[in-house]
Amino acid sequence: MSRFTPLVAALATTLLAGCASTAPSSSAPAAAVQVQVPVVAHPAGETPQWWYRNGAAQAASHGAMAGKAKNVILFLGDGMSLTTVAAARIFEGQRKGSSGEENLLSWERFPATAFSKTYNTDSQTPDSAGTMTAITTGVKTHMGAIGVSAGTRSDCADSLNKGLLTWLQLADSAGMATGMVSTARLTHATPAATYAHSPERNWENDTDLTEAAKAAGCQDIAQQLLSTSRYGRGPLVALGGGRAQFTTIEETDPEYDDKVGLRLDGRSLVNEWKQAHPQGAYVWNAEQLKAAANAPALLGLFEPDHMRYEIERKDDPSGEPSLADLTRAAIANLSRHSEGYVLMVEGARIDHANHSGNAYRALSDTVAMSDAVRAAVEATSDQDTLIIVTADHSHTLNFVGYPARGNPILGKVKDKGGEDGAGALDLARDGTGLPYTTLSYANGPGFTGQTNQQPAGPKTYPHGPSSFDPVKGRPDLTHVDTEHPDYMQEALVPMKSESHGGEDVGIWARGPGSQAIRGTLEQNTIYHMIVQATPRLRQRLCDAGTCDAQGVPVELPNGKAFERKVD
């Protein structure tokens, strides 16, 4: 006989955010529902069904079943570590003319907060594919996996029977409107995990698939955006980058005459989308987005690759919308549907800037996501819309030294004698007498030794070297402008691309069901918080026979059972 143990009920609320500017729908803790979970040996006993039930139990024990959300918006700051949040908070405050520390980003005013444990099934420090799959399906999986349970990353045949139903597909099946927004390619890991199923995140278009994968029956991620309509109508809003993934090598890019698409199979997926949505609007610049406000379906691909960093948007020759602009457009479209909607919005380039060792871009894109969250708050009500803000994983960004109150967050540390505070305000010095910055990276391309691209000393963005020389000591930053947007913070360990971090990330929430979001949660529990707090999603799962006697969805759903019947 299996042994069972109930999950521990509510953990203490964490102190991640300041006072709420708006009161939650209910201040009383929601009633806990207990679900029994088999005791397993870790990690060997962690099956997809175990992960699903374990996440369901944690959400139910926190009271998520009491939620009455009509709409759900999930904001995902890719790579948005707690250090990134803290530094961006100060960065935004200082741009407004204050000392910065007292500032709050928009979501830090939300009443509910928690921590998310981000590890993949095969890695302490995760990637964006496995983490977002946990968030969208309720099941933890391997690094690199998109919408499939754990297996071998390169084995297409093994993955074919491991597809997991995402909450976007579940919502589509339940008759809700669905959408996604990202500043990355729409085929990139985070947005892809809302609609695609692939053991390998890099199979974005047909030229990326291996011959073995093609022979086994795997499809590239781009074409899966169109085929996910088998669950209902498909996403009514899809806004982001990645035009080249959807167009052929014969098609010249509409914005850049020197660029063409990437597809070799002859399929123009943009044209196929237009045929499937004859009243819909395909757009690729800001003016077209505004003109398409009343379109019943919206596909926006604003760059051949990722969209631009916030600081670079002004340089776009055709005009590129901000993340806040995209969020407003998505909500305006989806909110026309009385049955409710689900929306995923990703601030993707926070992650890319951290990988590049460039804190300025990471912080400015975090502030841009704060603007997008604020836009969503202004466009919705906390009486019917659950908004969750979180990250998929962290980075190695450090916030160090004893800088005085109001010291520029991107500047060199100025203190009054360190922890003792016994001197006059001046540049802080390391053990060799050299100044150093408040922000630095544990690893990455900001390593100050000579590389095959730049000489020894401080590095300038962009910098992605393939070889490094050892360095003796640190450069003198006394006369270096460390607040310049292209300054790259020093990195201790030389790497072409800075790595992710393995520590917990934050979760912030407001609206129906948000009271359940507290304590330290397994990342896949976020999915269960969403489906349990949204009656329409919960009922769809129960109608498919996945619920227990208490009405809690505890059985791993079979995706094929949720596809619409074709006469």
Side-chain angles (χ1 to χ4, degrees):
M1 180 180 292
S2 298
R3 295 189 300 125
F4 289 85
T5 179
L7 285 186
V8 178
L11 300 173
T13 302
T14 62
L15 300 178
L16 288 176
C19 296
S21 58
T22 7
S25 302
S26 172
S27 58
V33 176
Q34 298 301 321
V35 173
Q36 292 184 321
V37 181
V39 175
V40 298
H42 298 283
E46 298 166 355
T47 65
Q49 170 58 43
W50 183 87
W51 277 118
Y52 194 87
R53 189 180 187 97
N54 186 66
Q58 191 169 33
S61 73
H62 283 215
M65 291 288 290
K68 297 291 187 292
K70 177 184 178 182
N71 314 305
V72 179
I73 305 174
L74 175 79
F75 281 90
L76 194 291
D78 200 311
M80 192 176 70
S81 65
L82 290 175
T83 304
T84 303
V85 171
R89 172 200 306 149
I90 297 172
F91 178 76
E92 181 188 53
Q94 291 179 345
R95 289 208 305 195
K96 294 177 179 177
S98 72
S99 62
E101 298 84 3
E102 70 285 354
N103 186 51
L104 289 173
L105 298 174
S106 60
W107 60 79
E108 293 185 286
R109 300 182 183 277
F110 287 5
T113 58
F115 290 116
S116 172
K117 297 165 64 179
T118 64
Y119 62 94
N120 295 144
T121 57
D122 58 349
S123 183
Q124 285 182 343
T125 298
D127 87 318
S128 296
T131 51
M132 192 58 180
T133 293
I135 292 170
T136 59
T137 70
V139 175
K140 287 210 177 198
T141 188
H142 66 259
M143 182 182 285
I146 298 287
V148 297
S149 57
T152 303
R153 184 164 176 167
S154 61
D155 192 341
C156 166
D158 174 68
S159 73
L160 293 178
N161 294 319
K162 293 183 175 180
L164 300 166
L165 184 73
T166 74
W167 49 256
L168 184 140
Q169 293 165 333
L170 170 65
D172 198 13
S173 173
M176 300 175 73
T178 65
M180 72 193 73
V181 170
S182 177
T183 51
R185 299 187 297 267
L186 286 183
T187 51
H188 210 237
T190 298
T194 66
Y195 65 85
H197 307 281
S198 174
E200 172 53 73
R201 61 178 289 177
N202 293 316
W203 293 347
E204 295 188 47
N205 67 73
D206 66 300
T207 62
D208 297 324
L209 281 170
T210 64
E211 292 304 317
K214 291 178 183 177
C218 277
Q219 295 182 331
D220 65 81
I221 290 169
Q223 65 171 294
Q224 291 188 56
L225 179 60
L226 275 65
S227 64
T228 197
S229 61
R230 66 189 182 277
Y231 293 97
R233 294 168 290 189
L236 297 181
V237 175
L239 304 173
R243 275 196 302 266
Q245 311 293 328
F246 295 87
T247 55
T248 71
I249 58 171
E250 285 81 27
E251 293 177 89
T252 301
D253 187 85
E255 189 172 13
Y256 307 102
D257 291 340
D258 59 340
K259 297 183 184 298
V260 296
L262 293 173
R263 302 192 68 84
L264 291 174
D265 59 3
R267 293 182 62 183
S268 173
L269 300 182
V270 169
N271 287 338
E272 290 183 21
W273 184 91
K274 289 179 180 178
Q275 292 167 7
H277 301 86
Q279 304 303 313
Y282 165 63
V283 300
W284 53 267
N285 62 48
E287 286 303 317
Q288 291 175 351
L289 179 65
K290 290 179 182 178
N294 296 317
L298 192 55
L299 173 64
L301 299 172
F302 300 97
E303 286 288 335
D305 195 15
H306 302 305
M307 291 181 66
R308 292 172 180 252
Y309 286 109
E310 178 63 20
I311 189 180
E312 297 167 4
R313 275 199 312 113
K314 64 183 185 302
D315 301 322
D316 187 276
S318 301
E320 190 169 295
S322 68
L323 188 59
D325 294 334
L326 298 176
T327 300
R328 291 187 193 96
I331 293 174
N333 180 292
L334 298 175
S335 62
R336 294 199 294 260
H337 298 270
S338 60
E339 62 273 21
Y341 62 85
V342 299
L343 171 65
M344 190 285 294
V345 180
E346 181 196 21
R349 308 226 62 193
I350 302 166
D351 173 74
H352 300 160
N354 275 326
H355 276 306
S356 294
N358 179 235
Y360 187 100
R361 283 171 172 77
L363 304 188
S364 57
D365 268 49
T366 302
V367 172
M369 196 176 94
S370 178
D371 293 339
V373 172
R374 185 178 300 107
V377 168
E378 292 170 352
T380 61
S381 167
D382 66 354
Q383 299 302 302
D384 65 4
T385 302
L386 172 62
I387 299 179
I388 298 175
V389 179
T390 190
D392 46 358
H393 55 74
S394 72
H395 273 275
T396 72
L397 182 64
N398 300 308
F399 186 154
V400 300
Y402 298 98
R405 178 77 183 269
N407 198 65
I409 191 64
L410 293 168
K412 296 177 275 288
V413 173
K414 287 186 177 181
D415 65 18
K416 295 182 179 180
E419 191 172 11
D420 294 334
L425 183 65
D426 198 1
L427 284 175
R429 306 282 173 171
D430 68 10
T432 66
L434 295 174
Y436 56 94
T437 55
T438 301
L439 301 181
S440 61
Y441 287 94
N443 60 44
F447 181 74
T448 57
Q450 179 173 316
T451 73
N452 63 313
Q453 293 185 357
Q454 294 187 22
K459 296 300 183 285
T460 301
Y461 174 89
H463 180 231
S466 57
S467 66
F468 299 83
D469 290 342
V471 64
K472 292 183 179 180
R474 296 181 50 247
D476 186 351
L477 301 179
T478 303
H479 302 295
V480 175
D481 182 6
T482 65
E483 298 177 56
H484 190 281
D486 292 339
Y487 173 77
M488 293 173 59
Q489 281 65 32
E490 289 180 79
L492 175 64
V493 177
M495 293 178 67
K496 181 175 183 178
S497 177
E498 179 265 359
S499 77
H500 295 169
E503 71 270 24
D504 297 352
V505 297
I507 312 174
W508 299 262
R510 70 164 236 165
S514 61
Q515 303 94 320
I517 295 177
R518 59 185 186 273
T520 298
L521 306 175
E522 292 287 359
Q523 192 166 48
N524 61 301
T525 301
I526 297 173
Y527 160 96
H528 296 278
M529 292 290 185
I530 290 171
V531 299
Q532 289 183 24
T534 310
R536 196 173 183 114
L537 298 180
R538 193 168 69 228
Q539 187 60 51
R540 181 67 182 93
L541 288 168
C542 288
D543 289 345
T546 73
C547 296
D548 66 8
Q550 304 172 95
V552 181
V554 295
E555 299 297 329
L556 185 66
N558 180 345
K560 290 191 178 298
F562 292 80
E563 296 179 11
R564 55 185 165 82
K565 303 296 185 289
V566 179
D567 296 331

